[in-house]
mmCIF file of all heavy atoms in Angstrom:
data_model
loop_
_atom_site.group_PDB
_atom_site.id
_atom_site.type_symbol
_atom_site.label_atom_id
_atom_site.label_comp_id
_atom_site.label_asym_id
_atom_site.label_seq_id
_atom_site.Cartn_x
_atom_site.Cartn_y
_atom_site.Cartn_z
ATOM 1 N N GLN L 161 56.776 50.520 91.535
ATOM 2 C CA GLN L 161 55.419 50.910 91.578
ATOM 3 C C GLN L 161 54.889 51.170 92.997
ATOM 4 O O GLN L 161 54.262 52.177 93.172
ATOM 5 C CB GLN L 161 54.547 49.890 90.749
ATOM 6 C CG GLN L 161 53.213 50.299 90.543
ATOM 7 C CD GLN L 161 53.040 51.393 89.482
ATOM 8 O OE1 GLN L 161 53.930 51.437 88.589
ATOM 9 N NE2 GLN L 161 52.176 52.343 89.619
ATOM 10 N N ASP L 162 55.206 50.310 93.858
ATOM 11 C CA ASP L 162 54.718 50.442 95.320
ATOM 12 C C ASP L 162 55.368 51.747 95.818
ATOM 13 O O ASP L 162 54.708 52.502 96.396
ATOM 14 C CB ASP L 162 55.177 49.195 96.004
ATOM 15 C CG ASP L 162 54.637 49.398 97.461
ATOM 16 O OD1 ASP L 162 53.483 49.575 97.636
ATOM 17 O OD2 ASP L 162 55.513 49.180 98.357
ATOM 18 N N TRP L 163 56.743 51.971 95.685
ATOM 19 C CA TRP L 163 57.391 53.101 96.274
ATOM 20 C C TRP L 163 56.890 54.407 95.652
ATOM 21 O O TRP L 163 56.694 55.449 96.394
ATOM 22 C CB TRP L 163 58.912 52.888 96.180
ATOM 23 C CG TRP L 163 59.362 52.122 97.305
ATOM 24 C CD1 TRP L 163 59.778 50.870 97.220
ATOM 25 C CD2 TRP L 163 59.521 52.502 98.633
ATOM 26 N NE1 TRP L 163 60.121 50.320 98.395
ATOM 27 C CE2 TRP L 163 60.062 51.314 99.350
ATOM 28 C CE3 TRP L 163 59.164 53.678 99.346
ATOM 29 C CZ2 TRP L 163 60.198 51.328 100.698
ATOM 30 C CZ3 TRP L 163 59.445 53.661 100.789
ATOM 31 C CH2 TRP L 163 59.926 52.514 101.338
ATOM 32 N N LEU L 164 56.612 54.346 94.230
ATOM 33 C CA LEU L 164 56.138 55.534 93.584
ATOM 34 C C LEU L 164 54.719 55.916 94.228
ATOM 35 O O LEU L 164 54.457 57.076 94.503
ATOM 36 C CB LEU L 164 56.012 55.421 92.148
ATOM 37 C CG LEU L 164 55.678 56.536 91.359
ATOM 38 C CD1 LEU L 164 56.647 57.787 91.529
ATOM 39 C CD2 LEU L 164 55.740 56.198 89.761
ATOM 40 N N GLU L 165 53.730 54.904 94.291
ATOM 41 C CA GLU L 165 52.519 55.123 94.827
ATOM 42 C C GLU L 165 52.599 55.675 96.246
ATOM 43 O O GLU L 165 51.791 56.587 96.593
ATOM 44 C CB GLU L 165 51.637 53.769 94.778
ATOM 45 C CG GLU L 165 51.316 53.360 93.449
ATOM 46 C CD GLU L 165 50.584 52.054 93.359
ATOM 47 O OE1 GLU L 165 50.469 51.272 94.432
ATOM 48 O OE2 GLU L 165 50.376 51.569 92.234
ATOM 49 N N ARG L 166 53.373 55.113 97.113
ATOM 50 C CA ARG L 166 53.501 55.607 98.537
ATOM 51 C C ARG L 166 53.944 57.024 98.383
ATOM 52 O O ARG L 166 53.362 57.825 99.264
ATOM 53 C CB ARG L 166 54.516 54.821 99.177
ATOM 54 C CG ARG L 166 54.133 53.441 99.564
ATOM 55 C CD ARG L 166 55.375 52.727 100.319
ATOM 56 N NE ARG L 166 55.212 51.419 100.541
ATOM 57 C CZ ARG L 166 55.977 50.561 101.497
ATOM 58 N NH1 ARG L 166 56.813 51.188 101.995
ATOM 59 N NH2 ARG L 166 55.638 49.339 101.431
ATOM 60 N N THR L 167 54.914 57.342 97.707
ATOM 61 C CA THR L 167 55.475 58.730 97.633
ATOM 62 C C THR L 167 54.434 59.720 97.219
ATOM 63 O O THR L 167 54.233 60.814 97.737
ATOM 64 C CB THR L 167 56.756 58.769 96.693
ATOM 65 O OG1 THR L 167 57.730 57.920 97.212
ATOM 66 C CG2 THR L 167 57.166 60.256 96.675
ATOM 67 N N ILE L 168 53.675 59.356 96.038
ATOM 68 C CA ILE L 168 52.626 60.329 95.572
ATOM 69 C C ILE L 168 51.540 60.400 96.685
ATOM 70 O O ILE L 168 51.062 61.521 96.867
ATOM 71 C CB ILE L 168 52.091 59.737 94.330
ATOM 72 C CG1 ILE L 168 53.223 59.851 93.170
ATOM 73 C CG2 ILE L 168 50.813 60.496 93.838
ATOM 74 C CD1 ILE L 168 52.865 59.053 91.856
ATOM 75 N N PHE L 169 51.217 59.407 97.326
ATOM 76 C CA PHE L 169 50.172 59.430 98.243
ATOM 77 C C PHE L 169 50.600 60.385 99.438
ATOM 78 O O PHE L 169 49.796 61.159 99.910
ATOM 79 C CB PHE L 169 49.757 58.114 98.870
ATOM 80 C CG PHE L 169 48.761 58.092 99.961
ATOM 81 C CD1 PHE L 169 47.484 58.265 99.699
ATOM 82 C CD2 PHE L 169 49.256 58.037 101.287
ATOM 83 C CE1 PHE L 169 46.487 58.325 100.729
ATOM 84 C CE2 PHE L 169 48.212 58.110 102.326
ATOM 85 C CZ PHE L 169 46.819 58.212 102.040
ATOM 86 N N ARG L 170 51.861 60.209 99.880
ATOM 87 C CA ARG L 170 52.424 61.084 101.024
ATOM 88 C C ARG L 170 52.388 62.554 100.519
ATOM 89 O O ARG L 170 51.915 63.467 101.261
ATOM 90 C CB ARG L 170 53.791 60.709 101.344
ATOM 91 C CG ARG L 170 54.450 61.315 102.551
ATOM 92 C CD ARG L 170 55.765 60.676 102.977
ATOM 93 N NE ARG L 170 56.811 60.988 101.962
ATOM 94 C CZ ARG L 170 57.287 59.994 101.139
ATOM 95 N NH1 ARG L 170 56.987 58.797 101.287
ATOM 96 N NH2 ARG L 170 58.251 60.301 100.270
ATOM 97 N N TYR L 171 52.851 62.862 99.416
ATOM 98 C CA TYR L 171 52.921 64.291 98.887
ATOM 99 C C TYR L 171 51.499 64.872 98.673
ATOM 100 O O TYR L 171 51.104 66.018 98.945
ATOM 101 C CB TYR L 171 53.761 64.387 97.598
ATOM 102 C CG TYR L 171 55.159 64.304 97.761
ATOM 103 C CD1 TYR L 171 56.054 64.178 96.678
ATOM 104 C CD2 TYR L 171 55.703 64.219 99.065
ATOM 105 C CE1 TYR L 171 57.417 64.054 96.791
ATOM 106 C CE2 TYR L 171 57.169 64.103 99.191
ATOM 107 C CZ TYR L 171 57.842 63.991 98.076
ATOM 108 O OH TYR L 171 59.370 63.849 98.163
ATOM 109 N N HIS L 172 50.628 63.948 98.247
ATOM 110 C CA HIS L 172 49.191 64.362 97.923
ATOM 111 C C HIS L 172 48.453 64.644 99.345
ATOM 112 O O HIS L 172 47.904 65.712 99.430
ATOM 113 C CB HIS L 172 48.431 63.256 97.191
ATOM 114 C CG HIS L 172 46.940 63.436 97.087
ATOM 115 N ND1 HIS L 172 46.508 64.272 96.058
ATOM 116 C CD2 HIS L 172 45.875 63.018 97.790
ATOM 117 C CE1 HIS L 172 45.168 64.328 96.204
ATOM 118 N NE2 HIS L 172 44.782 63.541 97.227
ATOM 119 N N ARG L 173 48.699 63.842 100.281
ATOM 120 C CA ARG L 173 48.112 64.006 101.635
ATOM 121 C C ARG L 173 48.712 65.282 102.329
ATOM 122 O O ARG L 173 47.903 66.093 102.853
ATOM 123 C CB ARG L 173 48.517 62.764 102.495
ATOM 124 C CG ARG L 173 47.817 62.883 103.922
ATOM 125 C CD ARG L 173 48.240 61.646 104.704
ATOM 126 N NE ARG L 173 49.724 61.720 105.011
ATOM 127 C CZ ARG L 173 50.495 60.744 104.902
ATOM 128 N NH1 ARG L 173 50.004 59.577 104.568
ATOM 129 N NH2 ARG L 173 51.774 60.899 105.174
ATOM 130 N N ARG L 174 50.021 65.441 102.186
ATOM 131 C CA ARG L 174 50.523 66.804 102.721
ATOM 132 C C ARG L 174 50.019 68.066 102.074
ATOM 133 O O ARG L 174 49.896 69.054 102.712
ATOM 134 C CB ARG L 174 52.160 66.655 102.799
ATOM 135 C CG ARG L 174 52.516 65.650 103.756
ATOM 136 C CD ARG L 174 54.083 65.781 103.929
ATOM 137 N NE ARG L 174 54.376 64.732 104.906
ATOM 138 C CZ ARG L 174 55.625 64.122 105.024
ATOM 139 N NH1 ARG L 174 56.469 64.399 104.195
ATOM 140 N NH2 ARG L 174 55.806 63.156 105.936
ATOM 141 N N ALA L 175 49.865 68.000 100.704
ATOM 142 C CA ALA L 175 49.381 69.108 99.990
ATOM 143 C C ALA L 175 47.891 69.363 100.536
ATOM 144 O O ALA L 175 47.545 70.563 100.673
ATOM 145 C CB ALA L 175 49.346 68.831 98.503
ATOM 146 N N ILE L 176 47.162 68.295 100.730
ATOM 147 C CA ILE L 176 45.787 68.716 101.313
ATOM 148 C C ILE L 176 45.742 69.058 102.630
ATOM 149 O O ILE L 176 45.098 70.136 102.992
ATOM 150 C CB ILE L 176 44.957 67.287 101.257
ATOM 151 C CG1 ILE L 176 44.610 66.920 99.781
ATOM 152 C CG2 ILE L 176 43.578 67.449 101.989
ATOM 153 C CD1 ILE L 176 43.960 65.602 99.471
ATOM 154 N N GLN L 177 46.645 68.556 103.427
ATOM 155 C CA GLN L 177 46.762 69.060 104.899
ATOM 156 C C GLN L 177 47.167 70.549 104.876
ATOM 157 O O GLN L 177 46.664 71.276 105.637
ATOM 158 C CB GLN L 177 47.827 68.230 105.614
ATOM 159 C CG GLN L 177 47.273 66.900 105.953
ATOM 160 C CD GLN L 177 48.358 65.951 106.578
ATOM 161 O OE1 GLN L 177 49.567 66.198 106.494
ATOM 162 N NE2 GLN L 177 47.934 64.797 107.169
ATOM 163 N N SER L 178 48.165 70.812 104.127
ATOM 164 C CA SER L 178 48.693 72.331 104.134
ATOM 165 C C SER L 178 47.508 73.327 103.590
ATOM 166 O O SER L 178 47.500 74.387 103.990
ATOM 167 C CB SER L 178 49.946 72.470 103.305
ATOM 168 O OG SER L 178 49.651 72.174 101.986
ATOM 169 N N ARG L 179 46.745 72.729 102.707
ATOM 170 C CA ARG L 179 45.650 73.601 102.109
ATOM 171 C C ARG L 179 44.554 73.736 103.279
ATOM 172 O O ARG L 179 43.980 74.750 103.246
ATOM 173 C CB ARG L 179 45.075 72.899 100.969
ATOM 174 C CG ARG L 179 44.319 73.700 99.988
ATOM 175 C CD ARG L 179 43.907 73.090 98.760
ATOM 176 N NE ARG L 179 43.536 71.707 98.940
ATOM 177 C CZ ARG L 179 43.661 70.694 98.000
ATOM 178 N NH1 ARG L 179 44.253 70.991 96.828
ATOM 179 N NH2 ARG L 179 43.441 69.477 98.200
ATOM 180 N N ASP L 180 44.342 72.688 104.112
ATOM 181 C CA ASP L 180 43.342 72.770 105.025
ATOM 182 C C ASP L 180 43.693 73.465 106.365
ATOM 183 O O ASP L 180 42.885 73.790 107.196
ATOM 184 C CB ASP L 180 42.784 71.292 105.424
ATOM 185 C CG ASP L 180 42.175 70.694 104.322
ATOM 186 O OD1 ASP L 180 41.663 71.329 103.334
ATOM 187 O OD2 ASP L 180 42.000 69.421 104.283
#
Side-chain angles (χ1 to χ4, degrees):
Q161 189 68 33
D162 182 53
W163 279 104
L164 186 58
E165 288 173 2
R166 289 180 192 194
T167 302
I168 292 167
F169 179 77
R170 187 175 64 250
Y171 287 172
H172 174 80
R173 183 182 67 224
R174 289 191 181 152
I176 290 172
Q177 287 172 342
S178 67
R179 199 173 37 210
D180 292 343

